[in-house]
Each structure stands twice: as structure tokens, then as C-alpha cells.
Amino acid sequence: MKCKVEFVAVASVILLITIRCFYTEKKPQLKGCSPNYTRSELLNLVDDPVHPFKTTVFVVTPTYSRLTQKADLVRLCSTLKNVNFIHWIVIEDSLQKTDLVNETLVECGVPYTHLFALSPFRRRKQIRGSAQRNRGIEWIRNHPVPRNEKAIVFFADDDNTYDPRIFKEMLTTELGSTWPVGLVGGSMWEGCITDPKDRTKIIDFWCIFRPWRQFPFDMAAFAVNARLFTLFPTAQFDYYRALEQEGVILSQLGFRNAYDLEPKAGGCSKILVWHTKTLTPPIYSYIGFQHPPPSFV
Amino acid sequence: MKCKVEFVAVASVILLITIRCFYTEKKPQLKGCSPNYTRSELLNLVDDPVHPFKTTVFVVTPTYSRLTQKADLVRLCSTLKNVNFIHWIVIEDSLQKTDLVNETLVECGVPYTHLFALSPFRRRKQIRGSAQRNRGIEWIRNHPVPRNEKAIVFFADDDNTYDPRIFKEMLTTELGSTWPVGLVGGSMWEGCITDPKDRTKIIDFWCIFRPWRQFPFDMAAFAVNARLFTLFPTAQFDYYRALEQEGVILSQLGFRNAYDLEPKAGGCSKILVWHTKTLTPPIYSYIGFQHPPPSFV
């Protein structure tokens, strides 16, 4: 009996290692944009001003109604208030704008745009956020960046943790940039690794979860030049490639793989973003008169 | 069979209502300070300057090592940076100061004091934070507020959510103040209710969890004048009255019950604090070489 257990254990370990090796090699290609531009061609097409008069970071945040929604938005607002070049695009997963989100944004003080987009009912459980992020992209396309300015797009979920310095890191993004993210994909961290001799060169990516992904990182791990959305007017998120939406959008924006991105956060040597989640608090059922909450919104 | 179920249901409801009524009446008194001062006597003893040259809010934060510690501290730092009159006292539950907390505080930019105090091993599971909060109080006693200044003490856990405006509300605290807190004690909110005709008068407290408490609110629901700690030099948290530490400290600082506190946040009409918790992320076990995280601290 004892031997059997050991055999199963050893076999499982070998199986796991085999799977890991096999999958690391197998990298199904995402359908990219066509034609396939080189980096310098793309930079030419984007044609950003050398010394932009102003740089804006569009923070695109999908949000949905839940117990901790207000708290999460208030906390993200406090973070964004630490930097003065943010334009916060908040898109609700709802039939219309809600008072709760509206009042939070008004009271926040960060320049914002309030939108809504209902997730398709059938796809809701599979992929959250695609409809909202696409609505955000649509807004960005309809508000092109002025000639003498520059803009960066970052998809920021409302419950993640951001060190305000990450927004400053994004400012220097030419086409697309990436950095490591903490507490994600079942790992302490996930993301780019640079050459110790040349911190501007990504040599590898670390992740445990689905390492065969072409862009093996989290939604919070990259930012892109806003002009790419005008340059590739059909690029959008979908409802099918669950767990790989980062690749879906980046491959349509002219990036062939994750190595095409510029390393940020001290050459990927610092964690400035954490993929945190807020616990849903327990609410006891209560019989009797219940005081209504003070203006909760 | 069907009747039996209904009988049990009705009986349970009656039992629950009985328990609720019974417990609301029963209010075991906490041992307060002696002699028993009136509010005006206390105000005289505290003797704050009428127009203080400067008002400081001491934010006392116990913290302990865990996966989300850094993220939670970074997020609280971002919140505190929105107000410029904070002195952040962070006390670690450890044998010595750790690099992680130290670097977070140095990089944060908010004026701070970094301390440590190990929780007694046996009491650890019962009550967390008492040893650290007492160490913070000790520091406040050793650094008395200058004659022409004023200081307020607020006990802020590192994972809660604070609207920066709550710190501005505290500034006008004379002796002790309170406000409602969201998502706490199994309820959407908990805390003070004021007279609709006179918003400066607390007429009731709303809570579901242990409503017989003399101070029926959360640690994040009150702030007190720092001079009270010098006036009552033995006041401290204990390791015994779990779930009632708010009352333990307030009753020793000259407050007879929760109605002695001043209502803040628009006469208790706004939620500016939420008792949130950050989910512990799942970390998968992984066999093989694992890239060390980039400078995580």
C-alpha cells in the first residue's frame, strides 16, 4: 500500500514536469494584425511628437455592482489622485449609469468619463469586462489624441493594487510596455525578466499559469500607446479566449509577442502592481426593523 | 412533514427575536476610568488651544507578515498621501522591524514612525493587534503634543478602505468622535444615527453583531484626542475582551458610553470608511526552477 502511494506520487511529479515542458514549447499563435509591421514602421505610423506638450494616461476600468464596489472605487480613486495626468474611463456593466458610480466619480476629483455597457448575458460567466473594455476603446477612438499630445492606455481593474509610481513608468511608453505583477496566476509574481547586463532587453517571462500563452501576463501588466487603437481600428477584446484577453488585444495592436514590449519598473526589477481581490463580506440575515444605510452612494 | 418544517421555521424566528430583544437590554458595563468626569471637566483637563497652530492625525496601524501585506500597505499609503496632516505610526507584529515594511514606509513619503511589538504567543489567535496598538499608544505618550498644537488618534487597520475625507472629519474632534462604517459586523453598515432635527446629537446606534456592546462599533469608527492618553496614563487594549476592544480603550479614556462621542461624517449620514478584507491569493505549488521575485520589498 505504502509503495503504491509513492509510485503515484513519483508518477504525478514526472507527469507534471512532462506537461510543463511540453506546454512551454507549444505556443498556439494568436491571429495578429496584418500587414505585419516592424517596430520602426509602427513607430513611424504612430508618429508621436518628440516632446509632447502633454501626456495623458487613460485608465480604463470596467466595474460591476457588488457589495464592495463603492469601497474598491474609492480606494482606486485615492491611488489615481496621487498622479495628475490621469483620465479615468469607468465603464459599468449595467443597463444604465448608476448613482453609486456617478457620485463616487463626481466626489473623487480625478478627470473622468462615465460610460456603461452590459455584458452579453450568455458570455457573462465566461469572460467579464470585454464589453466594458471595448466600450472604453470605442470612446478612445472617438476622442483622438491632439497632434502635439501623447496618450497611453492602461486597463485597470477596480480591485487591484497600484503603486502610484506605475503610472509614471507608463508615461515613457513608446508603443507598448510591460512590468511584473504581484500575486497573480497562482504565483507570487508573473511577468518580464530582463538581461542583468541590459535592463532594456526582455529575455524571458516568468509564470506558472498557462505558460504557453504568447503574452504570458495579466491585464494589469501592460500599457499601450493610444494612437495604436486608431491605427488598428478593428482591434478589440472578445468573449471566447478566456484567460488570454491580454494576447487578444495586443496581437491585434501590432505586437507579435510579449518580447515586443518595452520593459518598465526598473527593467522589470520592481513590483508596483498587485492582482488583489477584495473579500465579499458576510452579510447576516436579520429579522426585525433594519436601519437603512446612510447615503451609501 | 411539511408542517414540521414550518413549525421549526416559526419557532426559530420567535427564538431569534427573543434573543435579540433580550440581548439589547443586557449591557454589561465596562470598567471605566475613575473618577467619572463630565464632558466639560474633561474638556477643561485636555485644555486644547482654541486655534491650534497645527493639528496632526496619528494613524496607528498594526500590521503582520502575510502575502498581501505589501499591497495593503501601499494602498493605505496612497490614501494617506491625499491628506497632509497625517503622522503614520506603523507597528509590526514581529520580533524586529522588517525590510519590507521599512522600504514601503520610506518610499511612501507620508511622515511615519516604524515600531514593532510581538503579540503574546498564547493570545495571538484570540485578539490580534492589541500589543501593537499599545506600543503605538506608548509612543504617543512619550511624544506629548506641543502646547499650541492639537493631535487626534485613529486606529486604522491596513486592509480597510478609507475615503480621504474621513481624516478631515477627524480634525474637529474635541474629545472623541464617531461615524458609520460600511460592510462590518455582518451588516451593510454599523454605527451612529443622529436626530434628523439635530445632526449633532446621536440618538441611536445600528448594528446586528453583539448589539449589547456599550460601544457598538468597529475600531475604524472612532477617533480620540491624543491628550486623553496622557490624561489617563494607564489606558490600554487588553487580550481578553475579544470583539469589544473599542469599548475597552474608550471606557478607560473617560467615555461612559458611545453616546458621549461627537457625530461626524455629516451627522453620521455618510459612509466614508469600509471594513474591507483582502483575499489571500491562491499560490500553486510548483516543481522546477522558480524565478525569484524582483525586489519584492
Side-chain angles (χ1 to χ4, degrees), chain A residues 70 103-104 107 293-297, chain B residues 163 165-166 169 178-182 189-190 192 194 199 264-274:
Chain A
K70 169 98 182 186
E103 288 200 24
T104 311
E107 291 184 352
S295 67
F296 199 74
V297 289
Chain B
D163 187 311
R165 285 176 292 169
I166 194 63
E169 294 283 328
T178 188
W179 49 80
V181 172
W189 73 288
E190 204 181 84
C192 48
T194 52
R199 287 293 183 194
K264 297 284 171 192
C268 303
S269 71
K270 264 184 155 324
I271 302 270
L272 298 176
V273 182
W274 293 263

Side-chain angles (χ1 to χ4, degrees), chain A residues 265-293:
Chain A
C268 304
S269 71
K270 267 184 152 326
I271 302 271
L272 298 176
V273 182
W274 293 263
H275 186 81
T276 43
K277 289 261 157 249
T278 310
L279 204 78
T280 304
I283 299 289
Y284 307 148
S285 61
Y286 172 76
I287 299 141
F289 173 71
Q290 187 153 357
H291 263 285

